Amino acid sequence: MERRLVIGLNVVLAAVRDGEPVVLCVKRPGGWGLPFGRFDPEDHRTFELALRDFVERQTALPLEYVEQLYTFGDRGREAPRASLVSGDEADRIVSVGYLALSSDALTPSLESAAWRRWSTFFPWEDHREGKIRSCADITGQLRSWAAGDETLNTRIAMAFGDCDAGWEEERALDRYELMYEARLVAEAHRDRDGVEGPLLHGEAMISDHRRILATAIGRLRGKLRYRPVIFKLMGDEFTLRALQESVEAILGFDIHKQNFRRGVETAHLVEKTDTTVQATGGRPAALYRATALSEAPTAAGLALPRFRGSAT
Amino acid sequence: MERRLVIGLNVVLAAVRDGEPVVLCVKRPGGWGLPFGRFDPEDHRTFELALRDFVERQTALPLEYVEQLYTFGDRGREAPRASLVSGDEADRIVSVGYLALSSDALTPSLESAAWRRWSTFFPWEDHREGKIRSCADITGQLRSWAAGDETLNTRIAMAFGDCDAGWEEERALDRYELMYEARLVAEAHRDRDGVEGPLLHGEAMISDHRRILATAIGRLRGKLRYRPVIFKLMGDEFTLRALQESVEAILGFDIHKQNFRRGVETAHLVEKTDTTVQATGGRPAALYRATALSEAPTAAGLALPRFRGSAT
DNA sequence: CGCGCATATCCTCCTCCTGAGCAAAAGTCG
DNA sequence: CGACTTTTGCTCAGGAGGAGGATATGCGCG
């Protein structure tokens, strides 16, 4: 029996709903996962076309902005569940991960697809005021796992900062991988022992999908700073508060209001329309729209502050 | 005849030699290209292992630092030369590009492999003092090609700045792609007309290898700013001047000497040894080495200035 | 209508990073 | 020794970014 090479495509379709970052998930036999499909060179000229095709089939939602994340080719990574994609355990699966952004987060018309919050899978990535923050436990557990190992402790320090200072939001993958190695996430047990792992930090996903999601989160967070991608998550018109809330949702921490305004305005990424809306109880807010500048895919991003810990 | 799916691996192995950025090239029937090979799932557990394996065979050089760049899956991209890798024109080739860094740039023991300067392929990317700078022609040609097209002109402005102001060195790929579309590089003619294109800007490479190289250059340049990768290109001990020259070689422009020192020293990326060397005619320079901090793959990078045009 | 309330919006102040350049130090070469 | 070259230390000004005070403009309510 010849082992064939199979290319699987995975998509992290992200959006912001009611101020919460969400990702489109699909219910599978083994649990929740990302939309994915097999790339068939006969049918599709490019990865992106294939992606759009089967995401639409699996979720009945069209894709807008799409960007490649990473290609995972290691044998053993998908080990226990390889058969999910190929139907043939002997095939060698290489999976290409994609990040897609949606501005509307329409409810998918299929039962099996649903928007789920990032925080379900990565509770420790959300440091906004009033959210749970289980980060101290994690670093504690990591440190005792690392014991005296110099290298590991450096990695922990780099990935988590002091969890309150020096936290770099774009290192979501570093953090997940450390936790995986330390067996603080269920996948680590499942992949090694073959049995369902205990519920540890956050909900698990099938295969290596949570790793892909971590990659996507990190990439998106990083990209906010140097490309105007945030507007791919916004409608045509929005208040500055809404824009800021989206940014905060993605970043996972609160930022200074007045400075944020100054930042986006002096960068000329947005322009004021002449309409205002009254969504809250206070003064009506001006509606803004993205400028032509921010439409350019190569334009600069937002000047965003770093997380400096919370007042807790 | 069934079309099989084939995964090709390409490596951009970069180094700095005598203050010049170089890349390891392999002489092929159609011209110079990057080392590449076919990924065989039977033989190799991971892409990286496969990579190390065949690079060693093709060039007799071992790989050290390796990082994935991008996966190119579009049909038609490699069109005229698809047979190079597979030997069977009907196969569908997907290629995964990698970036590798070498600190020593040993001369490969094989005839067909050689280190070649980036500037051979991308003369317009080098803005250091005393180098040719054909950037003004290029933007001129691009603008007349773009004619009045709003979108294209924005892209040009974003990619090239004013070629003297607002130039962002990490946009090497954007620049190459624009030039490709405008048929300012030989590959554009070759890929479309099937015949060897005229010599235009820089030397052409086989297949889409120059595109991959552009991707690598952009990635490496960007990464300098947020990861300590520059030390992967340096030996164990080096003077600050040597370090700076490497950085300048990669970035493609000169930077302020005193500020550079201040930057690396206050970032604690290097520490002084107690030896000095006298390489030039002036005062002997202290030798430095990378600190443990800079060994951490997740540590921060160098604070580097932006290109502000040359005094010409 | 006047008042408290909740936001939005404007503006100021202060600090630190960064760009730029002067000047001294420590060698070589003739 | 004096001219020259390169390293190294230091200063200073401008600007970006962080924090927060002060107004503006809507609401609901008595």
Side-chain angles (χ1 to χ4, degrees):
Chain A
M1 164 185 63
E2 201 205 351
R3 285 173 139 225
R4 283 173 313 167
L5 203 45
V6 173
I7 294 191
L9 300 174
N10 297 277
V11 202
V12 174
L13 174 52
V16 178
R17 248 192 174 184
D18 308 320
E20 286 296 325
V22 291
V23 57
L24 190 63
C25 292
V26 176
K27 180 85 177 167
R28 304 274 176 181
W32 288 91
L34 301 172
F36 66 72
R38 177 173 162 170
F39 173 68
D40 186 340
E42 304 289 340
D43 294 348
H44 298 286
R45 203 168 49 78
T46 72
F47 287 162
E48 278 204 23
L49 292 176
L51 212 63
R52 291 172 192 279
D53 195 33
F54 77 76
V55 167
E56 219 154 316
R57 272 206 300 268
Q58 280 178 31
T59 68
L61 290 180
L63 290 185
E64 301 152 35
Y65 174 87
V66 169
E67 139 184 4
Q68 192 185 105
L69 280 177
Y70 198 81
T71 300
F72 305 89
D74 291 4
R75 183 187 307 167
R77 182 156 261 172
E78 306 221 18
R81 308 193 174 275
S83 54
L84 267 177
V85 175
S86 68
D88 174 4
E89 292 219 344
D91 283 356
R92 176 60 176 278
I93 299 173
V94 168
S95 70
V96 185
Y98 277 82
L99 167 65
L101 302 178
S102 164
S103 59
D104 38 23
L106 294 173
T107 303
S109 54
L110 293 182
E111 267 298 316
S112 54
W115 293 100
R116 305 202 60 204
R117 302 183 169 191
W118 287 3
S119 53
T120 310
F121 308 106
F122 296 98
W124 61 87
E125 292 289 342
D126 194 347
H127 293 248
R128 288 174 294 172
E129 208 60 41
K131 312 281 170 176
I132 18 75
R133 191 173 55 257
S134 49
C135 216
D137 336 352
I138 295 178
T139 47
Q141 293 169 324
L142 283 174
R143 292 226 173 273
S144 70
W145 162 72
D149 189 311
E150 185 71 41
T151 317
L152 281 180
N153 275 302
T154 319
R155 281 179 63 200
I156 296 172
M158 287 287 155
F160 287 83
D162 299 310
C163 201
D164 239 23
W167 170 277
E168 295 184 30
E169 73 281 352
E170 66 268 32
R171 303 219 163 151
L173 180 61
D174 292 340
R175 287 186 281 270
Y176 176 78
E177 290 195 329
L178 271 170
M179 292 172 68
Y180 184 96
E181 290 176 47
R183 293 175 155 243
L184 297 185
V185 292
E187 287 93 332
H189 294 86
R190 183 196 65 195
D191 293 353
R192 192 171 311 213
D193 310 333
V195 299
E196 207 56 38
L199 181 61
L200 297 163
H201 295 280
E203 188 181 315
M205 296 178 96
I206 60 169
S207 185
D208 60 347
H209 290 193
R210 193 149 58 141
R211 181 185 306 269
I212 300 177
L213 179 54
T215 310
I217 291 175
R219 177 79 135 261
L220 177 55
R221 284 177 170 177
K223 203 147 191 174
L224 283 190
R225 294 181 190 277
Y226 64 97
R227 284 298 126 93
V229 280
I230 187 65
F231 301 106
K232 306 292 180 190
L233 293 168
M234 307 299 299
D236 286 343
E237 302 193 332
F238 44 82
T239 63
L240 290 187
R241 163 199 266 272
L243 183 65
Q244 178 173 357
E245 275 183 344
S246 293
V247 170
E248 290 172 340
I250 303 292
L251 288 183
F253 59 88
D254 298 311
I255 56 188
H256 185 100
K257 190 168 176 173
Q258 294 95 320
N259 292 345
F260 177 78
R261 300 177 121 278
R262 179 175 60 186
V264 291
E265 283 189 313
T266 61
H268 298 295
L269 291 172
V270 297
E271 62 194 4
K272 199 184 282 197
T273 68
D274 40 12
T275 38
T276 61
V277 285
Q278 175 105 38
T280 66
R283 169 175 172 174
L287 276 182
Y288 284 74
R289 80 167 67 87
T291 63
L293 174 65
S294 71
E295 296 300 327
T298 56
L302 277 47
L304 296 173
R306 286 292 178 184
F307 182 54
R308 323 201 127 206
S310 50
T312 318
Chain B
M1 163 184 63
E2 201 206 352
R3 285 174 138 224
R4 282 173 314 165
L5 203 46
V6 173
I7 293 190
L9 300 174
N10 296 277
V11 202
V12 174
L13 175 53
V16 178
R17 249 193 173 183
D18 309 318
E20 287 296 325
V22 291
V23 58
L24 188 64
C25 292
V26 176
K27 181 85 176 167
R28 304 277 176 177
W32 289 90
L34 301 172
F36 65 73
R38 176 173 164 170
F39 173 69
D40 187 341
E42 305 288 342
D43 294 349
H44 299 285
R45 204 167 50 78
T46 72
F47 287 162
E48 278 203 23
L49 291 176
L51 212 64
R52 291 172 190 279
D53 194 32
F54 76 76
V55 167
E56 220 154 316
R57 272 206 301 267
Q58 280 178 31
T59 68
L61 290 180
L63 290 186
E64 300 153 35
Y65 174 87
V66 169
E67 143 185 0
Q68 193 186 102
L69 279 177
Y70 197 82
T71 300
F72 305 89
D74 291 6
R75 182 187 308 167
R77 181 155 260 170
E78 304 222 19
R81 307 193 174 274
S83 54
L84 267 176
V85 176
S86 69
D88 174 6
E89 292 220 343
D91 282 356
R92 176 59 176 278
I93 299 174
V94 168
S95 70
V96 185
Y98 275 82
L99 166 65
L101 302 179
S102 164
S103 58
D104 38 23
L106 294 173
T107 302
S109 55
L110 294 181
E111 267 300 316
S112 54
W115 292 100
R116 305 203 58 207
R117 301 183 170 192
W118 287 4
S119 55
T120 312
F121 308 106
F122 296 98
W124 62 87
E125 292 290 342
D126 195 347
H127 293 249
R128 287 174 294 171
E129 209 59 42
K131 312 282 170 176
I132 17 76
R133 192 172 56 257
S134 50
C135 214
D137 338 350
I138 295 178
T139 47
Q141 293 169 324
L142 282 174
R143 293 226 173 272
S144 70
W145 162 72
D149 189 311
E150 184 70 40
T151 318
L152 281 181
N153 276 301
T154 319
R155 280 179 61 200
I156 296 172
M158 288 286 156
F160 286 83
D162 299 309
C163 200
D164 238 23
W167 169 277
E168 295 184 30
E169 73 281 351
E170 66 269 32
R171 303 222 164 148
L173 180 62
D174 293 341
R175 288 186 280 271
Y176 176 78
E177 290 195 329
L178 271 169
M179 293 172 67
Y180 184 96
E181 289 176 46
R183 293 174 155 246
L184 297 185
V185 291
E187 288 92 332
H189 294 86
R190 182 196 66 194
D191 293 352
R192 194 173 310 216
D193 311 334
V195 300
E196 206 56 36
L199 181 62
L200 296 163
H201 296 280
E203 186 181 316
M205 297 178 95
I206 60 169
S207 186
D208 60 345
H209 289 194
R210 193 148 58 139
R211 182 186 306 271
I212 299 177
L213 179 54
T215 310
I217 292 175
R219 177 77 135 263
L220 178 54
R221 284 176 170 178
K223 203 145 190 174
L224 283 191
R225 294 180 189 279
Y226 64 96
R227 285 297 128 95
V229 280
I230 186 63
F231 300 106
K232 306 292 180 189
L233 293 168
M234 307 297 300
D236 284 345
E237 300 195 333
F238 44 82
T239 63
L240 289 187
R241 164 198 265 274
L243 183 65
Q244 178 173 357
E245 275 182 345
S246 293
V247 171
E248 289 172 340
I250 303 291
L251 288 183
F253 59 88
D254 298 310
I255 56 189
H256 185 101
K257 190 167 174 173
Q258 294 94 321
N259 291 346
F260 177 77
R261 303 178 120 270
R262 179 176 60 187
V264 291
E265 283 188 314
T266 62
H268 299 294
L269 291 172
V270 296
E271 60 193 6
K272 199 183 286 198
T273 69
D274 39 11
T275 36
T276 61
V277 285
Q278 177 106 36
T280 66
R283 170 172 173 175
L287 276 182
Y288 284 75
R289 81 167 66 88
T291 63
L293 175 64
S294 72
E295 297 299 329
T298 58
L302 277 49
L304 297 173
R306 286 292 177 183
F307 182 54
R308 324 203 126 206
S310 50
T312 320

